[in-house]
Amino acid sequence: MTRDEIRELAAFKVDDKKGACALSFYFQPDPPQDRSHRREAIVAKDVIKQALKSAAAPGKNGSLHADLDRILDVATNLRGHVRGKAVFACSAQNFWKEYELPPHVGATQIYLQSRFQLKPLAALLGAQPALCVAVVDRQRARIFDLRLDDLRERGAIVHMLSRSASSYGYNGYEAGHAERRVAEEALQQFKAVSERLRTDLEKGIWERLIIGCHDSNWPEFEPHLHPYVKQRLIGRFSADVASVTDEEIRDHSADILNRWRIERAATKASEAVSFAKAHGRGVTGLRRVLQALEAGEVQSLFLGENYSARAVECSHCGHLDAHLISSCVACGHRTHELGDICDAIIPIAIRRDIELVYLKDNDDLDRAGNIAALLRFRSDQNRTGQVAAAS
Ligand SMILES: [Zn+2]
């Protein structure tokens, strides 16, 4: 899934005159240990059948029914599916897109709205770094790129044991020599892999790193990692280069990435809250966050997992206001009420490349009204004051 595809979804709006509906469906697979139960595939079908029932109610149109039938077909084929999935559909406007996602979608749900529901997607994509996964042992290394759920092997480094080392016999004297030789060659291999990781990082090929290796190899390999490569390391899993499957690499990496994101989100949100207290590069509360969004100041946006608030949107200029006023303060035109401001904020964040971070049970954010932002700058202060101190 590319950024342009996400932007296309964020820009989509149904034509009200056609009475059409933007349908968003998310599928959360069972956790690996429960896969034999295939519970989620059953849940998915129930969710859609429920939506079909309400769509059958008077006043709803046929195109929605057709979309739901088609999604029901998709769900029927999700038995045993191990990846997350999203479908965005609006047959009235000839729109149908399916995406495979990492298995952390949240919940299996369907949304029928005037825009596509992008919250689960935004939560998933929020802090999605360009990830490098290197699976390493003493002779082999395989290097992968992982973008969302797309795992691609970028290269391999194979250290051929020199013939003299591999063909040493079993007699005592030569065996000891062979062992030293093998250790020396493993050292060369680990150095070669580290060097490759360093140059790829410098070329901007990846931003964060995950290593897969035998636990016994890690103490040998780790000291060879360059300090700034190591800074980018977000976790390690136990794996055998020869036998590890793509599926296992994806599963381990998704878990590591998820843990890292949760920790990083908490740190950054606390930063935003404390910067806001110091009148620095942070703001809290819906009113201030909306102002900062409009001023183009926002770098990262933090939302409580279940954050929702009513607000108004100007039908003419798009101004968003936390006060439920009937005419726009910016242009004077009429406003309309939004049941949930997030439906307007998320597409803005996606269009402007603002990092969107959802947090669960974060006390700092909770006390700050469950919405906060880290700012690139503050337009109401000059660069010499607290802004500089905060950055
Ligand atoms: Zn306006």
Side-chain angles (χ1 to χ4, degrees):
M1 187 168 205
T2 65
R3 285 220 74 87
D4 283 345
E5 287 172 315
I6 299 160
R7 285 203 191 94
E8 186 190 8
L9 294 174
F12 186 91
K13 226 182 156 183
V14 295
D15 186 344
D16 290 333
K17 288 174 206 112
K18 290 183 188 162
C21 193
L23 194 154
S24 320
F25 170 69
Y26 288 91
F27 173 70
Q28 164 65 45
D30 291 311
Q33 64 272 22
D34 297 339
R35 268 173 202 163
S36 58
H37 303 315
R38 295 172 174 175
R39 199 177 51 83
E40 278 298 347
I42 298 165
V43 171
K45 281 172 77 173
D46 285 348
V47 162
I48 298 158
K49 282 179 183 160
Q50 197 56 45
L52 266 166
K53 250 187 221 161
S54 10
K60 301 281 172 121
N61 63 43
S63 65
L64 172 61
H65 221 280
D67 283 334
L68 283 166
D69 275 335
R70 197 169 161 193
I71 288 184
L72 189 59
D73 275 348
V74 172
T76 305
N77 293 320
L78 288 175
R79 281 188 61 174
H81 199 74
V82 296
R83 317 243 60 84
K85 195 175 185 74
V87 181
F88 302 95
C90 179
S91 61
Q93 283 166 236
N94 216 2
F95 194 98
W96 178 277
K97 290 274 163 73
E98 286 182 45
Y99 297 102
E100 293 286 309
L101 298 171
H104 298 284
V105 172
T108 295
Q109 272 185 62
I110 196 158
Y111 303 87
L112 311 173
Q113 294 165 313
S114 60
R115 287 170 170 150
F116 291 126
Q117 177 54 253
L118 300 179
K119 179 180 165 181
L121 196 61
L124 204 59
L125 300 175
Q128 203 63 233
L131 205 57
C132 170
V133 185
V135 191
V136 185
D137 72 10
R138 300 178 107 201
Q139 284 114 44
R140 288 152 300 180
R142 297 175 67 195
I143 296 174
F144 299 86
D145 286 322
L146 184 60
R147 302 287 179 275
L148 260 188
D149 210 28
D150 186 20
L151 184 75
R152 289 196 190 167
E153 185 156 0
R154 180 155 38 78
I157 299 174
V158 180
H159 188 91
M160 300 303 288
L161 278 179
S162 60
R163 263 188 62 205
S164 54
S166 55
S167 65
Y168 266 110
Y170 294 98
N171 66 69
Y173 171 78
E174 291 209 319
H177 185 72
E179 222 169 76
R180 282 194 300 280
R181 187 69 173 264
V182 168
E184 170 64 25
E185 299 205 349
L187 181 80
Q188 295 310 321
Q189 163 71 359
F190 288 140
K191 277 186 176 167
V193 176
S194 301
E195 189 55 23
R196 169 70 185 269
L197 291 174
R198 184 182 68 83
T199 51
D200 285 356
L201 173 63
E202 281 172 356
K203 285 181 200 154
I205 293 174
W206 59 267
E207 296 162 347
R208 299 286 166 181
L209 175 68
I210 291 174
I211 301 276
C213 71
H214 285 298
D215 295 341
S216 59
N217 286 157
W218 180 236
E220 295 181 84
F221 180 44
E222 191 191 6
H224 298 292
L225 287 177
H226 292 268
Y228 45 93
V229 167
K230 215 156 143 184
Q231 272 174 18
R232 306 284 183 128
L233 179 70
I234 63 169
R236 186 181 71 81
F237 60 95
S238 187
D240 180 69
V241 183
S243 63
V244 71
T245 64
D246 285 7
E247 195 60 45
E248 286 166 341
I249 294 174
R250 273 199 296 253
D251 278 353
H252 285 300
S253 302
D255 286 345
I256 289 170
L257 182 62
N258 220 35
R259 279 201 300 274
W260 173 77
R261 283 174 50 183
I262 290 168
E263 267 174 41
R264 182 173 173 273
T267 310
K268 288 228 159 195
S270 301
E271 232 172 64
V273 172
S274 60
F275 285 175
K277 277 183 195 151
H279 304 289
R281 228 162 30 86
V283 288
T284 55
L286 180 60
R287 195 178 61 85
R288 285 292 293 120
V289 167
L290 288 180
Q291 283 170 359
L293 267 178
E294 248 166 28
E297 298 168 339
V298 177
Q299 180 173 6
S300 308
L301 192 57
F302 304 91
L303 297 161
E305 193 184 33
N306 299 312
Y307 179 78
S308 166
R310 285 162 67 204
V312 294
E313 182 179 29
C314 171
S315 314
H316 182 68
C317 73
H319 170 73
L320 298 168
D321 212 306
H323 299 296
L324 305 180
I325 44 175
S326 58
S327 55
C328 174
V329 291
C331 74
H333 282 75
R334 285 195 64 77
T335 62
H336 60 267
E337 195 175 324
L338 300 169
D340 183 5
I341 185 69
C342 298
D343 293 342
I345 289 181
I346 293 167
I348 293 174
I350 290 171
R351 283 200 304 271
R352 294 198 205 147
D353 270 331
I354 294 167
E355 182 185 22
L356 250 174
V357 185
Y358 285 91
L359 292 98
K360 211 176 180 171
D361 311 322
N362 184 283
D363 291 343
D364 286 339
L365 191 63
D366 192 48
R367 278 191 292 270
N370 273 309
I371 184 164
L374 265 182
L375 308 181
R376 299 174 212 276
F377 62 91
R378 263 182 94 125
S379 50
D380 60 348
Q381 292 177 358
N382 64 36
R383 283 228 145 251
T384 52
Q386 274 155 318
V387 182
S391 51

